[in-house]
Amino acid sequence: MARSLMMTIGAGVLAGVATMSTPGAFVRAQQPAPAKRVSRQEKAAALAADPAVERGRKQFVESCGFCHGADATGARGPDLMRSALVAHDVKGEVIGPVIHQGRPDKGMPGFPFSDEQVADIAAFLHARAAQGMASSEVPEGYSVERLLTGNAEAGKSYFNGAGGCSGCHTPAGDMAAAVARYSALDLETHMLYPEGHFKSVVVTLPSGEKVEGPLEHIDDFEVALRDSSGWYRAFARERVQVEVKDRLAAHRELLEKLTQEDIHNLFAYLQSLK
């Protein structure tokens, strides 16, 4: 009985060794599956599924809908689905001050909402903006050539000149990798509506030592970052000097300067890089 059991175990071990020794078997097991492209419709659906969106919708309709429309598409007040303010916002950090302080010069009063209510309203507005983007997505198989109404050479001149794009990007460097990964239309979308949190911070201590890393949190009393070792470090604002750097600031500023002609020309230039 014991001998039979040992033979069975031995056969299993040998089979495992044989499998591992098969050329390419181990490598194939370690290769990650190719990432699935997430469409704008899928992204919009994922955002809409957040319970905060429904809470924000109810609050928005009750307090803001009479000016901005119940669906945020505008009425007496502007359309917020395509608002630069919403596009620039990350989790209510831009929307919040406008809600609290209002815009008296434009007839908008301030609202004493809690941080949680502001976050819910921001979630609703971002979900609406995502729905708007999803509804305008080019269908699968649509010929991109039909969208090429701009001038690639003019787009190149804008990229290297007035647009200031070449200050951070190079056609043979990071743009080559981006063009290989995204369609020109997706690249343009990222340019116009940059996503993600790309802020870093430099904290100067009383001793003169500087600590730098991705910004994790900042308010009137505290600033926190992730240092080069991966540690979360928080500092009292009153005891340190703080310099926040936003890698997407140029993109956000560009959004308000681009003309329709600039957009079409840049699109044509990005497509020419493929």
Side-chain angles (χ1 to χ4, degrees):
M1 176 73 174
R3 182 179 180 183
S4 175
L5 178 60
M6 290 298 293
M7 290 178 66
T8 301
I9 294 173
V13 172
L14 288 173
V17 172
T19 300
M20 294 299 290
S21 63
T22 302
F26 183 77
V27 175
R28 284 196 299 272
Q30 298 301 309
Q31 288 178 340
K36 179 181 180 294
R37 181 181 181 274
V38 179
S39 69
R40 294 194 195 118
Q41 287 90 347
E42 291 171 322
K43 185 181 292 186
L47 284 175
D50 185 347
V53 171
E54 179 58 21
R55 295 195 302 267
R57 184 193 68 78
K58 291 179 179 177
Q59 186 69 61
F60 184 88
V61 170
E62 179 182 331
S63 305
C64 316
F66 65 97
C67 271
H68 295 288
D71 57 358
T73 55
R76 289 170 54 195
D79 176 356
L80 296 181
M81 284 181 62
R82 294 166 178 80
S83 165
L85 181 142
V86 175
H88 294 175
D89 179 78
V90 178
K91 296 183 178 179
E93 66 178 14
V94 177
I95 294 172
V98 175
I99 290 177
H100 288 146
Q101 299 167 18
R103 287 189 166 170
D105 58 322
K106 297 183 179 180
M108 175 182 169
F111 295 90
F113 293 155
S114 66
D115 291 345
E116 291 75 16
Q117 288 173 310
V118 168
D120 289 345
I121 290 174
F124 167 67
L125 292 176
H126 285 300
R128 290 293 294 136
Q131 289 170 350
M133 289 292 294
S135 67
S136 64
E137 186 169 44
V138 176
E140 192 78 23
Y142 189 89
S143 175
V144 72
E145 282 72 21
R146 297 176 64 180
L147 302 174
L148 292 174
T149 60
N151 182 292
E153 282 302 314
K156 181 178 180 180
S157 297
Y158 189 84
F159 183 94
N160 292 318
C165 311
S166 59
C168 295
H169 307 290
T170 60
D174 63 326
M175 289 305 296
V179 167
R181 180 178 180 186
Y182 299 109
S183 69
L185 188 61
D186 284 336
L187 278 174
E188 187 177 60
T189 299
H190 285 301
M191 175 188 72
L192 295 175
Y193 301 100
E195 300 175 340
H197 195 57
F198 292 93
K199 289 184 178 180
S200 61
V201 63
V202 178
V203 175
T204 304
L205 307 182
S207 65
E209 177 190 357
K210 294 182 183 293
V211 183
E212 183 173 3
L215 178 65
E216 294 286 341
H217 172 77
I218 188 168
D219 57 29
D220 292 339
F221 307 101
E222 185 180 75
V223 59
L225 58 83
R226 190 77 58 178
D227 69 15
S228 58
S229 301
W231 287 95
Y232 181 96
R233 300 182 64 179
F235 306 89
R237 289 287 300 270
E238 62 182 9
R239 301 185 59 189
V240 298
Q241 295 179 15
V242 177
E243 180 187 0
V244 177
K245 300 178 180 179
D246 184 359
R247 288 167 51 196
L248 292 180
H251 282 261
R252 304 187 203 285
E253 294 169 5
L254 188 65
L255 181 63
E256 300 177 358
K257 301 175 183 177
L258 282 166
T259 66
Q260 288 293 322
E261 184 178 11
D262 293 332
I263 292 172
H264 291 306
N265 291 341
L266 275 173
F267 179 90
Y269 175 58
L270 292 175
Q271 181 65 17
S272 74
L273 296 178
K274 293 188 73 65

PDB file of all heavy atoms in Angstrom, residues 190-205:
ATOM      1  N   HIS A 190      -7.677  62.041 -24.978  1.00  0.00           N
ATOM      2  CA  HIS A 190      -6.825  62.196 -23.796  1.00  0.00           C
ATOM      3  C   HIS A 190      -6.263  63.621 -23.709  1.00  0.00           C
ATOM      4  O   HIS A 190      -6.079  64.155 -22.619  1.00  0.00           O
ATOM      5  CB  HIS A 190      -5.686  61.192 -23.830  1.00  0.00           C
ATOM      6  CG  HIS A 190      -6.095  59.789 -23.509  1.00  0.00           C
ATOM      7  ND1 HIS A 190      -6.686  59.443 -22.322  1.00  0.00           N
ATOM      8  CD2 HIS A 190      -6.010  58.637 -24.222  1.00  0.00           C
ATOM      9  CE1 HIS A 190      -6.952  58.151 -22.304  1.00  0.00           C
ATOM     10  NE2 HIS A 190      -6.549  57.639 -23.449  1.00  0.00           N
ATOM     11  N   MET A 191      -5.988  64.206 -24.869  1.00  0.00           N
ATOM     12  CA  MET A 191      -5.459  65.561 -24.901  1.00  0.00           C
ATOM     13  C   MET A 191      -6.503  66.561 -24.427  1.00  0.00           C
ATOM     14  O   MET A 191      -6.219  67.457 -23.628  1.00  0.00           O
ATOM     15  CB  MET A 191      -5.006  65.911 -26.319  1.00  0.00           C
ATOM     16  CG  MET A 191      -4.537  67.350 -26.494  1.00  0.00           C
ATOM     17  SD  MET A 191      -4.241  67.750 -28.226  1.00  0.00           S
ATOM     18  CE  MET A 191      -5.926  67.820 -28.855  1.00  0.00           C
ATOM     19  N   LEU A 192      -7.744  66.409 -24.895  1.00  0.00           N
ATOM     20  CA  LEU A 192      -8.803  67.357 -24.577  1.00  0.00           C
ATOM     21  C   LEU A 192      -9.397  67.126 -23.189  1.00  0.00           C
ATOM     22  O   LEU A 192      -9.796  68.071 -22.511  1.00  0.00           O
ATOM     23  CB  LEU A 192      -9.912  67.275 -25.630  1.00  0.00           C
ATOM     24  CG  LEU A 192      -9.522  67.702 -27.049  1.00  0.00           C
ATOM     25  CD1 LEU A 192     -10.669  67.451 -28.011  1.00  0.00           C
ATOM     26  CD2 LEU A 192      -9.115  69.167 -27.084  1.00  0.00           C
ATOM     27  N   TYR A 193      -9.476  65.870 -22.798  1.00  0.00           N
ATOM     28  CA  TYR A 193     -10.083  65.522 -21.505  1.00  0.00           C
ATOM     29  C   TYR A 193      -9.131  64.630 -20.724  1.00  0.00           C
ATOM     30  O   TYR A 193      -9.370  63.439 -20.571  1.00  0.00           O
ATOM     31  CB  TYR A 193     -11.427  64.823 -21.716  1.00  0.00           C
ATOM     32  CG  TYR A 193     -12.413  65.666 -22.491  1.00  0.00           C
ATOM     33  CD1 TYR A 193     -12.612  65.446 -23.852  1.00  0.00           C
ATOM     34  CD2 TYR A 193     -13.122  66.687 -21.869  1.00  0.00           C
ATOM     35  CE1 TYR A 193     -13.501  66.233 -24.573  1.00  0.00           C
ATOM     36  CE2 TYR A 193     -14.020  67.459 -22.575  1.00  0.00           C
ATOM     37  CZ  TYR A 193     -14.210  67.240 -23.931  1.00  0.00           C
ATOM     38  OH  TYR A 193     -15.085  68.010 -24.638  1.00  0.00           O
ATOM     39  N   PRO A 194      -8.000  65.187 -20.266  1.00  0.00           N
ATOM     40  CA  PRO A 194      -7.010  64.370 -19.544  1.00  0.00           C
ATOM     41  C   PRO A 194      -7.601  63.759 -18.295  1.00  0.00           C
ATOM     42  O   PRO A 194      -8.318  64.416 -17.543  1.00  0.00           O
ATOM     43  CB  PRO A 194      -5.894  65.370 -19.220  1.00  0.00           C
ATOM     44  CG  PRO A 194      -6.560  66.707 -19.262  1.00  0.00           C
ATOM     45  CD  PRO A 194      -7.626  66.611 -20.299  1.00  0.00           C
ATOM     46  N   GLU A 195      -7.311  62.487 -18.092  1.00  0.00           N
ATOM     47  CA  GLU A 195      -7.835  61.765 -16.940  1.00  0.00           C
ATOM     48  C   GLU A 195      -6.697  61.371 -16.007  1.00  0.00           C
ATOM     49  O   GLU A 195      -5.556  61.248 -16.421  1.00  0.00           O
ATOM     50  CB  GLU A 195      -8.584  60.503 -17.383  1.00  0.00           C
ATOM     51  CG  GLU A 195      -9.765  60.783 -18.293  1.00  0.00           C
ATOM     52  CD  GLU A 195     -10.404  59.509 -18.795  1.00  0.00           C
ATOM     53  OE1 GLU A 195      -9.730  58.456 -18.751  1.00  0.00           O
ATOM     54  OE2 GLU A 195     -11.552  59.556 -19.239  1.00  0.00           O
ATOM     55  N   GLY A 196      -7.046  61.135 -14.746  1.00  0.00           N
ATOM     56  CA  GLY A 196      -6.051  60.649 -13.792  1.00  0.00           C
ATOM     57  C   GLY A 196      -5.578  61.742 -12.851  1.00  0.00           C
ATOM     58  O   GLY A 196      -5.903  62.921 -12.989  1.00  0.00           O
ATOM     59  N   HIS A 197      -4.797  61.317 -11.884  1.00  0.00           N
ATOM     60  CA  HIS A 197      -4.299  62.212 -10.840  1.00  0.00           C
ATOM     61  C   HIS A 197      -2.786  62.278 -10.979  1.00  0.00           C
ATOM     62  O   HIS A 197      -2.086  61.330 -10.629  1.00  0.00           O
ATOM     63  CB  HIS A 197      -4.709  61.671  -9.474  1.00  0.00           C
ATOM     64  CG  HIS A 197      -4.566  62.665  -8.371  1.00  0.00           C
ATOM     65  ND1 HIS A 197      -5.185  63.889  -8.366  1.00  0.00           N
ATOM     66  CD2 HIS A 197      -3.852  62.607  -7.224  1.00  0.00           C
ATOM     67  CE1 HIS A 197      -4.874  64.548  -7.259  1.00  0.00           C
ATOM     68  NE2 HIS A 197      -4.072  63.798  -6.558  1.00  0.00           N
ATOM     69  N   PHE A 198      -2.274  63.369 -11.531  1.00  0.00           N
ATOM     70  CA  PHE A 198      -0.855  63.452 -11.837  1.00  0.00           C
ATOM     71  C   PHE A 198      -0.183  64.608 -11.099  1.00  0.00           C
ATOM     72  O   PHE A 198       0.669  65.293 -11.636  1.00  0.00           O
ATOM     73  CB  PHE A 198      -0.659  63.625 -13.347  1.00  0.00           C
ATOM     74  CG  PHE A 198      -1.046  62.418 -14.142  1.00  0.00           C
ATOM     75  CD1 PHE A 198      -2.317  62.300 -14.672  1.00  0.00           C
ATOM     76  CD2 PHE A 198      -0.152  61.381 -14.350  1.00  0.00           C
ATOM     77  CE1 PHE A 198      -2.691  61.187 -15.405  1.00  0.00           C
ATOM     78  CE2 PHE A 198      -0.504  60.269 -15.068  1.00  0.00           C
ATOM     79  CZ  PHE A 198      -1.774  60.161 -15.606  1.00  0.00           C
ATOM     80  N   LYS A 199      -0.581  64.820  -9.852  1.00  0.00           N
ATOM     81  CA  LYS A 199       0.017  65.887  -9.069  1.00  0.00           C
ATOM     82  C   LYS A 199       1.105  65.336  -8.159  1.00  0.00           C
ATOM     83  O   LYS A 199       0.946  64.280  -7.562  1.00  0.00           O
ATOM     84  CB  LYS A 199      -1.045  66.596  -8.218  1.00  0.00           C
ATOM     85  CG  LYS A 199      -2.001  67.456  -9.034  1.00  0.00           C
ATOM     86  CD  LYS A 199      -2.961  68.207  -8.130  1.00  0.00           C
ATOM     87  CE  LYS A 199      -3.894  69.102  -8.953  1.00  0.00           C
ATOM     88  NZ  LYS A 199      -4.842  69.835  -8.093  1.00  0.00           N
ATOM     89  N   SER A 200       2.196  66.078  -8.082  1.00  0.00           N
ATOM     90  CA  SER A 200       3.253  65.754  -7.128  1.00  0.00           C
ATOM     91  C   SER A 200       3.469  66.979  -6.252  1.00  0.00           C
ATOM     92  O   SER A 200       2.964  68.066  -6.543  1.00  0.00           O
ATOM     93  CB  SER A 200       4.552  65.374  -7.850  1.00  0.00           C
ATOM     94  OG  SER A 200       5.023  66.455  -8.641  1.00  0.00           O
ATOM     95  N   VAL A 201       4.223  66.809  -5.188  1.00  0.00           N
ATOM     96  CA  VAL A 201       4.430  67.920  -4.258  1.00  0.00           C
ATOM     97  C   VAL A 201       5.851  67.873  -3.711  1.00  0.00           C
ATOM     98  O   VAL A 201       6.421  66.795  -3.522  1.00  0.00           O
ATOM     99  CB  VAL A 201       3.390  67.860  -3.110  1.00  0.00           C
ATOM    100  CG1 VAL A 201       3.549  66.584  -2.291  1.00  0.00           C
ATOM    101  CG2 VAL A 201       3.484  69.082  -2.211  1.00  0.00           C
ATOM    102  N   VAL A 202       6.411  69.056  -3.497  1.00  0.00           N
ATOM    103  CA  VAL A 202       7.713  69.191  -2.848  1.00  0.00           C
ATOM    104  C   VAL A 202       7.464  69.874  -1.502  1.00  0.00           C
ATOM    105  O   VAL A 202       6.932  70.987  -1.454  1.00  0.00           O
ATOM    106  CB  VAL A 202       8.686  70.032  -3.687  1.00  0.00           C
ATOM    107  CG1 VAL A 202      10.019  70.180  -2.949  1.00  0.00           C
ATOM    108  CG2 VAL A 202       8.898  69.407  -5.058  1.00  0.00           C
ATOM    109  N   VAL A 203       7.834  69.197  -0.426  1.00  0.00           N
ATOM    110  CA  VAL A 203       7.670  69.737   0.920  1.00  0.00           C
ATOM    111  C   VAL A 203       9.057  70.092   1.463  1.00  0.00           C
ATOM    112  O   VAL A 203       9.943  69.236   1.510  1.00  0.00           O
ATOM    113  CB  VAL A 203       6.985  68.715   1.853  1.00  0.00           C
ATOM    114  CG1 VAL A 203       6.941  69.239   3.277  1.00  0.00           C
ATOM    115  CG2 VAL A 203       5.578  68.412   1.356  1.00  0.00           C
ATOM    116  N   THR A 204       9.227  71.345   1.833  1.00  0.00           N
ATOM    117  CA  THR A 204      10.501  71.794   2.401  1.00  0.00           C
ATOM    118  C   THR A 204      10.348  71.904   3.915  1.00  0.00           C
ATOM    119  O   THR A 204       9.533  72.686   4.412  1.00  0.00           O
ATOM    120  CB  THR A 204      10.915  73.157   1.817  1.00  0.00           C
ATOM    121  OG1 THR A 204      10.969  73.063   0.387  1.00  0.00           O
ATOM    122  CG2 THR A 204      12.280  73.566   2.347  1.00  0.00           C
ATOM    123  N   LEU A 205      11.134  71.116   4.632  1.00  0.00           N
ATOM    124  CA  LEU A 205      11.068  71.083   6.097  1.00  0.00           C
ATOM    125  C   LEU A 205      11.805  72.279   6.699  1.00  0.00           C
ATOM    126  O   LEU A 205      12.614  72.930   6.013  1.00  0.00           O
ATOM    127  CB  LEU A 205      11.683  69.779   6.599  1.00  0.00           C
ATOM    128  CG  LEU A 205      11.126  68.483   5.997  1.00  0.00           C
ATOM    129  CD1 LEU A 205      11.803  67.280   6.633  1.00  0.00           C
ATOM    130  CD2 LEU A 205       9.627  68.403   6.171  1.00  0.00           C
TER     131      LEU A 205
END
